[in-house]
Amino acid sequence: MMFRFVFAIVFICLAILARAQGDIDIQHYEFNITLNDKNDTIIGAAEIKVKFLHPVKSFPVDLVLQNEKGKGMIVDQITVNDVLSENFSKQREKLIINLPQSQQTDSAIVSILYHGVPADGLIISKNKYGDRTFFADNWPNRAHNWIPCKDDPDDKASFEFIVYAPSEYQVVSNGKLAEEKIMAGNKKVTHWVEDVSLSTKVMVIGVAKFAVNQFADSPPNIPVSAWTYPQDSVTGFRNYSVAPAILKFYSDYIGAYPYNKLANVQSKTIFGGMENASAIFYYEESAEENKSMEDLLAHEIAHQWFGDMASEKSFSHLWLSEGFATYMTDIYLESKYGTDSMNRRLRDERKTAIDFARHSNRPVVDSLSFLMNLLNANSYQKGGWILHMLRREMGDTLFRKFIRTYYDRYKGTNADTDDLEKIAEEVSKKDLHQFFKQWLYTPGIPQLNIRWLYNEKDKTVAITIEQVQKQMAFGFPLQIKSEGDKSEIFTLNITRRIETFSIPASSTIRHISADPNTALLFDSRIEKINP
Ligand SMILES: [Zn+2]
């Protein structure tokens, strides 16, 4: 996802879910959700197909239960395989369902009837025009505020939403529309089915008065559309109209688009954009006049492959989602506007990563327990830069093969950073252990003091490179450009805290610069020493 205002987000306390859920694997969810205009109470009926990975006596379902302020869900009834279950216990955010001996088998259908006002996760409010809207906003584990589920990115399932709402609203969701029918009493039922198994973080509904436009340049069999508030349709349709071209670019670069449609939806998400699979939600102002939304759309559309389809095993590896979306955006923009334009963007991203590293001593692969705090420059800009350095290490052809291989192997499932490293080594046939260790598991960014001296007598340049960051010394190739009567680029292989090199110069050197091709994540100070 993308932030509008990084620090303007209301602080949301999100404890990492207990990982005691390794006993079950959810196969399918059916969520029936009834909405109304009189109050913010939702009525839910969930049918969950659970596979038991080994015989269990009880298992947990995540659901935020009603608190003292009246927010949260009240459970009305639970059945297991159509048998009424009285034997369950409640924790604050969890139901523990106990199974009778006869049901301790390999799978079960659990039905949960519930109702309540969502504390979070389903944002029921008024949009900027004062119209009532309902938008799910689940990242990272806010789904269980309004749907009972295993709220963990590592458990993927197919699902369907059957939404009962007042008939003036339209309902958008993941997957394909199975039914939309007007019922008695000005009600409407809308049924969306997603056959692709996904994490709860990207399962959504959006319910509002919408204007909808399908773009004429959509790829065959993949309708790409814009869903905006009717008042913003002209500008919104225009701002979102870059989506089909972006989708085509990634389909070609990474692999076939994995879903059957792409809806781009103006919404009340707390993020700038949220990459819900095949139904991306963007912040309200994204549909306003004179706004270039191209990089935001490119970021969220890249997530359809990375984050949604090939997903991180846990949020510690969030960079596999955000770093990829950041760098895929750079690659898309490079294809459209050229390498100079991408390099300018990379230098801005590098500055953001360096500024962040000044006050953070955390690695990219990070087990922070407040998940919202992982939406930082380590996950985004530094993650993107790590991919860029891998590309410089491998070359364009092998890098693309690496991206495609990783996606192909992990689409529909989850990966961690070790899984990615294995594929990088397999494709490049290089030992990248040190690369991954220093850039992903070690905090900091190389900070270089570069001192140089031109030696007239023997026509050489003496260069001393000192790494002054407080963290460990890094190893990397550093390109230096020397400028005299003519300019030359040479590569120094840095392996130690401080090293001195002597380089032959064909003419008097007047100026030295580092990293002329924008290939290294580093910060530097260059100083000419007078003999
Ligand atoms: Zn993102």
Side-chain angles (χ1 to χ4, degrees), residues 321-336:
S321 177
E322 298 304 346
F324 271 70
T326 302
Y327 194 55
M328 286 299 125
T329 301
D330 294 343
I331 289 185
Y332 162 72
L333 293 171
E334 179 187 27
S335 76
K336 187 161 173 182

Side-chain angles (χ1 to χ4, degrees), residues 1-2 273 275 299-300 303 321-322 325-326 380:
M1 87 260 355
M2 283 282 266
E275 62 266 21
H299 179 100
E300 304 307 336
H303 273 307
S321 177
E322 298 304 346
T326 302
Y380 287 72

Side-chain angles (χ1 to χ4, degrees), residues 175-282:
K176 58 177 175 291
L177 184 64
E179 187 184 29
E180 187 181 29
K181 195 171 71 185
I182 300 291
M183 299 157 61
N186 289 330
K187 292 232 168 62
K188 183 158 81 174
V189 56
T190 312
H191 184 180
W192 288 89
V193 179
E194 179 53 274
D195 296 325
V196 177
S197 288
L198 294 168
S199 311
T200 50
K201 63 177 180 161
V202 292
M203 297 180 181
V204 287
I205 58 169
V207 182
K209 288 174 193 152
F210 285 116
V212 182
N213 179 49
Q214 187 182 316
F215 295 114
D217 58 342
S218 297
N221 304 318
I222 304 169
V224 180
S225 57
W227 296 56
T228 69
Y229 306 151
Q231 299 92 329
D232 288 335
S233 63
V234 174
T235 50
F237 291 173
R238 192 163 58 222
N239 289 358
Y240 296 169
S241 66
V242 288
I246 296 169
L247 187 149
K248 285 181 214 169
F249 173 79
Y250 291 141
S251 302
D252 180 52
Y253 190 91
I254 307 165
Y257 180 73
Y259 314 107
N260 54 19
K261 64 131 194 327
L262 177 61
N264 296 275
V265 184
Q266 184 181 17
S267 79
K268 292 279 292 180
T269 174
I270 64 170
F271 305 109
M274 179 58 217
E275 62 266 21
N276 308 307
S278 79
I280 299 169
F281 286 5
Y282 301 96

